[in-house]
Amino acid sequence: MTCGNNKKLSLYIHIPFCLSKCEYCDFFSITPKAGIFNGCKSIPDSYVDALCSEILYRVGKYMQVDFEKLLTYYNKYLYQKRGSINASLICDTIFLCKDVFCDDEPFEFTIEVNPDDVTKELLESFEENGINRISCGIQSCTDSCLQFVNRRAKRKENLKAMEIISRYWKGKKSFDLICGLPYESKESFKESLELLMSFNPDHISMYSLTIEDQTPLGRKCNSGQLDYDFNYADELWLESKAFLEKNGYCQYEVSNFCKPGCECIHNLVYWNHEDYLGCGSGASGTLYDCDGRAFRWTNTTDVQKYIDFWCEDFASLYKKTDLNVCAIEFVDCQTSIFEYFMMGLRKTAGISEKDFFNKFKRTIPQQIIGLFEKWQKKGLADIICQNDEKRYFLTKDGLLFLNRFLEEIN
């Protein structure tokens, strides 16, 4: 998307409401048990109102859009709001974002959905409101694995969702898989991959299962209730990666594969160290200075506090500080450079010396160039000249040791 001052801008909207929580999930979300749902199973209208208010506030504050224009759009949103149908409310929010700071150039508008929420009517609503890419979390088509990690959608719901999306969705489609769920065999995961590819997605995200200590799955591992074989999980991921590549999907980032030209533009913003607004309870946003330093905010995870603050009268809210509902961080240049390599080297294309200079107004430190040369001798990194500039990247084998490379940078 392009904003009023011609800077490229990406927007992330966080909707932290889930009907149930998967046992491996460490993202911020709340379930109906938390009380904020008020006994119903839909997203509160007040949260969507707060979200719209925050979006307009941040666009005005950081992207230099005229306040009177923002107030007009805010009042227009309140006037046009279509009741308590959640799909329409979310689309209203997205339409508002598009109307405020998007021009007519092509852009990617992605929405994430759970398989058991997918209907023909929902897809039609998304399309009517300008969404052109859908991402659906399938994770696996093996019922025993899905049951163990408390996934709401099982094999039947996953297959139905992929069928509906393939039949009715006109935009790009992406499906997510998690490689190495407990009790997943090589045969069952290969079947999941084959089923997924039979619906011809443009993009596949295949993540290795990460087990965090604070999650229910992490507690089961730490207590000995679950004996998890990490080596087997790594082996399964490597075999699955080779299978995807053999079937026409190109790896362009550690966990992401796509058909030519179908990379996820929004995620590339993070990996390319570019500006993004994060709105919603628990969301983060980052804006970079001309020398690479960054300003970052992280919104409160107290959803009621978030709603109460952002649902105030917009005109008075715009004159107040948002420090009561978000944490502020100023990222120094050294930390920002480390983050640049941490994110940029996830891409198979790596980073370029020209891009580094444009972002930090300096050349790549000699220590890091020396590290690339050292890894190049091991066949784990490469340095190539392309269009009169050098590119630095980890090879496909080297990507498996990205964390070790980053440790050596530090």
Side-chain angles (χ1 to χ4, degrees), residues 306-351:
Y306 174 87
I307 291 172
D308 290 344
F309 181 86
W310 291 111
C311 280
E312 289 187 33
D313 174 67
F314 186 72
S316 61
L317 176 69
Y318 194 74
K319 300 174 185 177
K320 296 172 63 175
T321 176
D322 59 346
L323 292 177
N324 291 331
V325 286
C326 69
I328 300 297
E329 178 185 2
F330 294 95
V331 182
D332 61 38
C333 197
Q334 183 177 353
T335 302
S336 186
I337 287 174
F338 177 78
E339 290 181 353
Y340 176 85
F341 283 102
M342 179 177 68
M343 300 305 289
L345 291 178
R346 294 182 62 89
K347 302 176 296 176
T348 56
I351 54 99

